[in-house]
Amino acid sequence: MIVRESELMHYGVLGMKWGHRKTASSISRSKTIKNYHEDYLKVHDGKKAYQLSDSELKKRNKRLQAEEQYTRMTQSQNKGKKAVKAIIGFAGTLNAAYGAYKTYERFGRKIVSKIS
């Protein structure tokens, strides 16, 4: 077998099947570790509500409400973005279909004119 430097050969990963992806549990934990802000860690440290003072409870409630509000706001933006992408994609499909129609119409006219 002759191998040239300009060729790229790839035989895949041993044991992998075409079209199959690794499950989340098989991916190593070190890749999924996130750097959380210290405020987030203070709120989500596993303490029960009765173990907190009034001021700590108020701080945590404020943080949790802010997180919930942020999540709601970003989700609504993503829904709008998805809707716009779908509309643009549909418009592109319509444009392609119209172009194909015009092409076939032109060829059809040529064939009819040759027959007549």
Side-chain angles (χ1 to χ4, degrees):
M1 177 165 82
I2 300 172
V3 178
R4 297 185 189 113
E5 287 184 30
S6 61
E7 291 182 10
L8 175 66
M9 289 193 235
H10 177 65
Y11 299 101
V13 179
L14 284 177
M16 289 296 292
K17 304 288 185 193
W18 283 101
H20 291 262
R21 295 186 182 264
K22 291 183 177 182
T23 60
S25 61
S26 67
I27 298 172
S28 71
R29 286 291 217 179
S30 62
K31 292 180 182 177
T32 60
I33 293 175
K34 297 179 181 177
N35 293 325
Y36 291 111
H37 193 271
E38 63 185 44
D39 291 342
Y40 180 89
L41 294 174
K42 286 178 186 174
V43 172
H44 299 281
D45 65 353
K47 286 185 179 178
K48 305 287 183 193
Y50 64 85
Q51 295 173 326
L52 302 171
S53 68
D54 288 344
S55 62
E56 288 176 324
L57 194 57
K58 285 180 184 178
K59 285 180 186 177
R60 287 181 183 216
N61 281 339
K62 186 176 179 182
R63 172 66 189 204
L64 291 172
Q65 286 173 353
E67 286 180 26
E68 184 179 330
Q69 183 179 9
Y70 177 79
T71 303
R72 273 189 275 123
M73 290 173 65
T74 55
Q75 283 177 348
S76 65
Q77 289 173 355
N78 290 338
K79 288 178 186 176
K81 191 175 185 179
K82 286 179 186 178
V84 169
K85 280 187 176 185
I87 291 168
I88 291 172
F90 183 70
T93 303
L94 284 178
N95 191 23
Y98 181 72
Y101 163 75
K102 284 297 197 182
T103 302
Y104 290 126
E105 181 186 33
R106 192 172 355 113
F107 285 124
R109 288 182 193 269
K110 284 182 183 180
I111 291 171
V112 170
S113 65
K114 286 183 181 181
I115 294 174
S116 303

